Amino acid sequence: MFTVYVLQSTVASKAYVGFTNNIERRIAEHNAGKHSYTKRYMPWILKYTEQFDNLREARERERYFKLGAGRKYLKTRIFSK
């Protein structure tokens, strides 16, 4: 099982999209400063997740969220709440 996730920085107006097979470990890594981009805007909170059965589907959905239409979807449906 793979999870596509969206994080939101609590100190800057930044979001991060990724995918993993272990969401708890991955969020802990982001909040521990183990990744160069997310290290700058710590701490992060989990805003949204989607579950997928295979890696290909998870990668496709992550890519969608990182492109124009997906960013618009996140902005209007997830971050406007």
Side-chain angles (χ1 to χ4, degrees):
M1 183 75 64
F2 293 91
T3 304
V4 174
Y5 61 93
V6 179
L7 301 178
Q8 181 177 17
S9 171
T10 61
V11 297
S13 101
K14 299 288 183 182
Y16 180 84
V17 176
F19 73 93
T20 185
N21 62 354
N22 185 332
I23 189 70
E24 293 83 14
R25 174 189 51 82
R26 192 68 170 142
I27 294 170
E29 288 175 356
H30 288 300
N31 282 320
K34 294 189 176 189
H35 302 282
S36 60
Y37 177 79
T38 56
K39 181 181 191 177
R40 294 177 273 177
Y41 305 108
M42 295 186 313
W44 295 88
I45 57 170
L46 184 64
K47 282 296 274 189
Y48 182 73
T49 63
E50 289 183 6
Q51 301 290 321
F52 295 92
D53 291 327
N54 65 60
L55 179 63
R56 183 185 58 76
E57 290 175 346
R59 280 188 176 158
E60 287 176 3
R61 189 62 167 170
E62 178 198 32
R63 180 158 169 75
Y64 168 76
F65 284 143
K66 289 182 175 183
L67 297 176
R71 286 195 312 264
K72 184 176 180 181
Y73 173 87
L74 290 174
K75 186 176 181 179
T76 59
R77 302 259 168 88
I78 307 305
F79 292 109
S80 65
K81 295 178 181 181

